Amino acid sequence: MNAGVRFTVIIPARLASTRLPGKPLADLGGKPMVVRVAERAAESGAARIVVATDHADIAAACAAHGIEVGMTRADHPSGTDRIAEVARALQLAPDDVVVNLQGDEPLIDPQLLAACARRISAAVPMATCAHPIDNAADVFNPNVVKVVLDKAGRALYFSRAAIPWHRDGFAADQSALPAGSGYAPLRHIGLYAYSNAFLQLYPSLEPAPLEDVEALEQLRVLWHGYPIAVHITDAAPPAGVDTPQDLARVRLHYGL
């Protein structure tokens, strides 16, 4: 683990959203959401914060608030591809660390970004985060992505299924977590860090069959044999913004 890591945060932001059109520009206390996200990222100790977008309106909103922007192609299949393009344009060194922060996380804990970045090393080119699950409903919810780790704190597998499966406990009762068994399932948090060398390699990796089955992009990395370190945080971070209801919840934080 690199205790003094220098890292760049790149925030992919697209204007199109099926559930919440114009999401990055949604007003949060007088500032667009993407600007609020960048401001949170700036509290992490990052050396540089850049918004990666293909839309002029997002670029203009960021520029109006002094946020650096990297313009990208419009046809990227994922946010990871988008930030890889910006990292190339920034001419980051191969061993520089890049944190991928989604543009709909205005309440993210800034220290989580730094902790994730610190997990990158010469041996581990990608990192992410997770937190303990404290109720059975989340274990069995396919919208809650679970991760299991090896003894070094690296991901063995990510799944929408209930992993690890407590054979005896769930055979007896699936309405609660098995008591006193040491069973400690983990929920994956969609925050990522990469070495820039690996970030540039990632778009060339062939999609994995497991990735298609689970609809989880990070399985491509494991399928190709690359390790992913996982930082464990005690509590769940505040949820991001995907729907109008989420936006209303976050606006309460800003007194709206």
Side-chain angles (χ1 to χ4, degrees), residues 73-97:
R73 301 190 338 244
D75 60 348
H76 284 302
S78 74
T80 310
D81 297 272
R82 192 175 303 279
I83 72 167
E85 180 186 352
V86 170
R88 285 193 301 275
L90 295 176
Q91 298 184 322
L92 299 179
D95 60 350
D96 281 352
V97 175

Side-chain angles (χ1 to χ4, degrees), residues 115-202:
C116 190
R118 286 194 295 268
R119 296 303 302 267
I120 300 298
S121 67
V124 183
M126 181 171 170
T128 191
C129 301
H131 70 85
I133 296 174
D134 61 7
N135 66 86
D138 281 350
V139 171
F140 294 104
N141 183 349
N143 294 316
V144 174
V145 178
K146 276 72 66 174
V147 58
V148 291
L149 312 182
D150 66 13
K151 69 177 183 178
R154 300 175 183 179
L156 288 171
Y157 192 65
F158 298 85
S159 183
R160 297 181 183 280
I163 59 170
W165 182 262
H166 195 292
R167 187 194 64 175
D168 296 337
F170 289 147
D173 182 10
Q174 294 184 16
S175 66
L177 297 181
S181 64
Y183 181 65
L186 294 171
R187 178 177 187 163
H188 176 234
I189 299 168
L191 175 71
Y192 297 99
Y194 322 82
S195 71
N196 185 42
F198 183 74
L199 177 60
Q200 299 308 319
L201 171 67
Y202 178 90

